[in-house]
Amino acid sequence: MKITNEQLKDMYLTMLKIRKFEKNAMDKFAEGKIPGFVHLYIGEEACATGACAALRVDDYITSTHRGHGHIIAKGGDLNYMMAELFGKSDGYCKGKGGSMHIADADKGILGANGIVGAGHNIAIGSGLAIKYRKTDQVCVCFFGDASTNQSTFHEGLNLASVWKLPVVFVCENNGYGISVSQKRHQAITDISVRASAYNMPGITIDGNDLFAVHEAVGEAVERARKGQGPTLIECKTYRWRGHFEGDMTVYRPDGELEAWMKKDPIPRVEKYFIENNVMTQDEINKLNAEVDKMIEEANKFAVNSPAPSLESALEDVYSDIVEEGRVR
Amino acid sequence: MKKMTYAEGIREAMRKKMQEDPSVLLFGEDVGKFGGCFGVSAGLWEEFGDDRVRDTPISEGAIVGAAVGSAACGLKPIAELMFVDFLTVGMDQLVNQAAKMRYMFGGKINLPMVLRVPSGGGVGAAAQHSQSLEAWVTHVPGLKVVYPSNAQDAYGLLMTAIDDQNPVVFVENKMLYSAKTDVDENELKPIPLGKARIAKDGTDVSIITYGRQVFDALTAAEALAKEGISAEVLDLRSLYPIDKEAIAQSVGKTHKVVLVSEECKRGAYTGDIAAQIAEEYFYDLDAPIKRVGALNTPVAFATDLESYILPNARDIELAVKSLFD
């Protein structure tokens, strides 16, 4: 698949945004500014970036509890995202969702999701809507290795294949379901083999290789747009941080993280840029500084955004009912 | 006036909405050529074809999930689960996804989906095909819950539910499907959710109920009338939103309440209604609130056992009389 240098730079910018957004979230969580649970995407940036670069604005994605990367890659606004992490009124969800529930329907982001495996079935609903309306949109369903043990994986892939829905299933196999390694949670190595059970194409790729992800997802998207049905793509990757911030990762063998850090997807792209005259080191540094500024802006936006009013807790349960408040 | 079955009321509402609005579609197990397990969708596949009347695999999670996802992307799906008991299999999609998406996303999504769930016992289908689970769904903020008792209401409430921007659980009583009731054809139109209906006027006691038990309550009211007790029967029709005003008016008039549903009594939705009445209208009451429900057992198979477990008109009559002892 042909990619222009401009597209490459955009993808690199997206990866930087994700990495720096996540590092900032990590710091702010440690400082106690972000309540709840935060699941970081550091190390997996090539998956969301490569996949979403193959999509249009009017395409859909479903995401996971580790969703910041997907949302940024699909065009999510950093300010609204950061404000939501901080639980502020200007956040994507007015402070009612938090890290795990960011959505942006206008950009086709059908939501991060706190339930492992829930996206498979939402994605088939999206695929059904597309097929029903006979457009050439697609839906990319992101999920982790551990969610492929949920019944929803089987239900979703089965229905997508029997109805030939335009859904691309992108499995980010980061090796762990929380603390349980893939070896201990399923008896297969390559999750893509499960595609054969649904008579759909399945492929395993290096999820830390931006080009490989973009190419594989791009091909699957093209097939889906032509009405040729779903694909299962397994991206082998690794999360650098624990399952959530605060997880001490006692379950990791010594040296495993270090080995994966050597496969960091970001320097791999930088190396390619320099070797192929896409960007110079100076330009790379400049772009990094620009993204640092965006993150600083997002922080400022989040800090300055007012806390949600207590009355707002009663709104948005329904479109047309405001619930009763508490009298104190 | 003409007679129409409950199933026809539901079917005609679906047909009308599908004729009017191309974004409405129906899917579920065997809803296509087979016409649905209880024949509710008979003829719709022939009229609207595969795209709009879709048979699904036996995958309740996928059925509810497909409703959530397609509603989030702008369709108005009607999903049928063959029995409400199977909702357990698709519960995550209803409770964690459908009910909460609007709230979690700060109000920035609409989910115009209807989940139709045949409910209740009386057909010898035993414990996994006879439950009444409305307490589970009314418990969840974000869901609307509707439970019609007759063809006219089934038609009008379903018309409204399909256009509602929120997920609606549309509970249908499987014993009522073939029940013919009077329908005013001039009044075959949408009925707002949250409006109860006085099925029978009365002055001495309010029997507040919904679904099949409306008929049991009317039977009980007839028997009670012979003994000089004038019972009012209030058919809630919509369990959430609930018509608190109608309840308040009836309680204010009769000062006695008997709540009836087919749910097993422990944890039943009638308990919540009773609590609301006790909290807000306690001083209107001149007798304890009574509840009639199924026994706290699974629904048994053998006919005699099943009838013993489920509540009937006689149970309602006795409950009312106990307030006048």
Side-chain angles (χ1 to χ4, degrees), chain B residues 173-237:
Chain B
N173 188 284
K174 61 175 87 82
M175 285 285 281
L176 292 180
Y177 278 135
S178 56
K180 281 195 171 177
T181 47
D182 288 336
V183 163
D184 180 346
E185 285 177 284
N186 298 322
E187 290 299 315
L188 273 178
K189 55 187 183 194
I191 297 170
L193 307 190
K195 295 282 174 217
R197 174 183 72 95
I198 296 171
K200 181 192 164 296
D201 257 324
T203 53
D204 300 335
V205 59
S206 302
I207 305 174
I208 301 175
T209 186
Y210 53 89
R212 178 155 75 103
Q213 278 61 47
V214 171
F215 296 97
D216 287 347
L218 290 171
T219 305
E222 252 177 66
L224 289 162
K226 286 176 194 151
E227 303 194 27
I229 298 172
S230 162
E232 175 149 299
V233 178
L234 189 65
D235 179 357
L236 289 174
R237 305 199 288 191

Side-chain angles (χ1 to χ4, degrees), chain A residues 12 14 57 69-70 81 113 117 120 131 146 156 173 177 183 188 194 218-219 231 251 264 268 299:
Chain A
Y12 175 63
T14 298
V57 176
H70 309 136
M81 285 181 71
N113 208 306
H120 303 123
K131 192 175 168 104
N173 180 354
K183 272 194 196 111
I188 52 169
R194 291 192 172 173
E219 283 173 8
T231 305
Y251 46 85
D264 186 343
R268 284 167 76 169
N299 265 332

Side-chain angles (χ1 to χ4, degrees), chain A residues 316-318, chain B residues 68 92-104 111 113 140-143 167:
Chain A
D316 301 325
V317 186
Y318 298 91
Chain B
V68 174
D92 170 64
Q93 289 292 329
L94 183 68
V95 173
N96 288 320
Q97 311 301 329
K100 295 182 174 58
M101 275 168 96
R102 173 187 297 280
Y103 194 77
M104 293 190 302
L111 278 188
M113 59 173 272
V140 180
L143 299 178

Side-chain angles (χ1 to χ4, degrees), chain A residues 19-185:
Chain A
R19 174 70 53 95
K20 290 174 191 287
F21 183 93
E22 294 295 64
K23 281 195 163 163
N24 180 70
M26 181 176 90
D27 293 342
K28 298 301 169 201
F29 183 85
E31 288 170 27
K33 301 257 170 62
I34 295 175
F37 294 107
V38 178
H39 308 83
L40 299 182
Y41 196 69
I42 299 174
E44 305 184 24
E45 292 88 347
C47 302
T49 306
C52 290
L55 299 181
R56 304 189 309 236
V57 176
D58 66 342
D59 290 324
Y60 296 101
I61 65 164
T62 63
S63 175
T64 69
H65 56 286
R66 200 174 305 289
H68 306 163
H70 309 136
I71 294 156
I72 293 171
K74 190 65 174 62
D77 181 281
L78 297 181
N79 291 359
Y80 299 152
M81 285 181 71
M82 197 71 82
E84 188 57 37
L85 263 60
F86 277 62
K88 297 298 191 71
S89 60
D90 294 313
Y92 257 119
C93 318
K94 307 180 197 163
K96 294 180 199 177
S99 162
M100 274 190 282
H101 304 299
I102 298 174
D104 187 340
D106 294 338
K107 288 177 175 152
I109 301 166
L110 299 176
N113 208 306
I115 305 295
V116 168
H120 303 123
N121 281 335
I122 296 174
I124 55 169
S126 173
L128 172 62
I130 295 166
K131 192 175 168 104
Y132 184 79
R133 284 197 294 251
K134 298 185 168 64
T135 69
D136 71 343
Q137 294 159 286
V138 300
C139 179
V140 166
C141 172
F142 289 106
F143 53 97
D145 47 298
S147 84
T148 66
N149 302 327
Q150 290 277 38
S151 59
T152 50
F153 175 80
H154 174 65
E155 289 180 316
L157 271 73
N158 179 62
L159 196 59
S161 67
V162 74
W163 284 356
K164 275 198 166 222
L165 298 180
V167 180
V168 179
F169 293 96
V170 176
C171 176
E172 299 168 327
N173 180 354
N174 66 17
Y176 288 91
I178 308 183
S179 73
V180 178
S181 67
Q182 191 198 354
K183 272 194 196 111
R184 294 175 62 223
H185 76 58

Side-chain angles (χ1 to χ4, degrees), chain B residues 32-93:
Chain B
K33 196 170 188 180
F34 190 76
C37 181
F38 297 99
V40 176
S41 54
L44 297 183
W45 177 82
E46 286 80 356
E47 182 172 348
F48 298 102
D50 269 335
D51 273 355
R52 300 189 69 190
V53 183
R54 277 179 178 263
D55 285 326
T56 65
I58 300 177
S59 296
E60 283 83 8
I63 294 168
V64 185
V68 174
S70 59
C73 294
L75 299 188
K76 291 181 181 170
I78 307 165
E80 177 184 307
L81 294 182
M82 192 178 280
F83 289 82
V84 73
D85 313 70
F86 307 164
L87 178 58
T88 52
V89 185
M91 203 64 165
D92 170 64
Q93 289 292 329

